[in-house]
Structure formats: structure tokens, C-alpha cells
Amino acid sequence: MATRVAGQRRIPAEERRALILLAAGRAFARDGYAGARIEDIAAAAHVTKPIVYRHFASKKALYMALLEKHEADLPGFIEAIDPNALPLDELVRAILEHWFDYVRENQHAWFMLFRDRSGDEEIQALRQ
């Protein structure tokens, strides 16, 4: 069993999962689904492969979790802004600003959704 260095705190499971998702998103954006490796994702997240598999049953499950997260985020661009509070041109500008902030923070989502074409039929269907 691995021991922690004195003074190091154990990362809560949800925080560790978020780090894995971030590292995976970057790897999938860079290498595509087919080229991304769990070893590289684990190293980038500063965890071991077994820790990745403790959170996600497979590379496919990890990839699909990211696609599902981005799909769930989409309605937030409109719902975050009260449509009655602004004139139409300002409303559109506010929605676009919110969208661009999201894209800056989640650049991997753009690549996963619009550039990567690898993966099986189930992944392709979810991406659509």
C-alpha cells in the first residue's frame, strides 16, 4: 500500500474525479479517443491507473462521461441569463460571452464534440 508523504493531504474523491476528467479531456482533445491512453491520463492527473479505473470502468466510460457532462452543460448557456432582463441584442451578447467563457475553460470539449471522429457506434451516437 502506498504511503503519503508527511504533510500531504488526501484529495477527496470528487476532487480527484474532477482532476481525472480534466486530464482526460485534454488527452482526448490532443490524441482523440483512439489515441488517448489511460496511462497518460493517470500521469497528467497525478494518480495511478487503478485510481482512474476506480472512478471509471473503462476508457470508453471516461470518454462518455465527458461527452455527457458537456451535453448537460449546454442548456446552461441560455438558462444562466434571464431572457426578460435584457434587450435581445444584449441577451445574445451575454449568452455568447457565457459560451466563450465555457469554451476557454473547456477547450477539450470543442475538440471532442467537433473534431474527433474515433470511437465505436455508441460513442458516435452520443457525440451526435
Side-chain angles (χ1 to χ4, degrees), residues 3 55 75 100 110-111 113 127:
T3 58
H55 289 272
F100 288 132
W110 178 265
F111 292 104
L113 292 170
R127 192 181 287 126

Side-chain angles (χ1 to χ4, degrees), residues 18-84:
L19 291 172
I20 293 167
L21 286 168
L22 180 62
R26 290 176 178 159
F28 290 133
R30 182 184 62 244
D31 304 323
Y33 173 75
R37 298 173 349 131
I38 292 296
E39 295 88 347
D40 298 332
I41 293 167
H46 305 290
V47 299
T48 62
K49 272 178 61 174
I51 294 295
V52 174
Y53 286 120
R54 188 174 296 162
H55 289 272
F56 303 95
S58 64
K59 180 171 91 167
K60 180 179 177 179
L62 176 54
Y63 191 85
M64 292 185 70
L66 278 165
L67 288 178
E68 289 166 352
K69 176 194 176 306
H70 300 310
E71 179 183 18
D73 289 345
L74 289 175
F77 301 116
I78 295 172
E79 295 168 356
I81 299 154
D82 180 4
N84 300 315

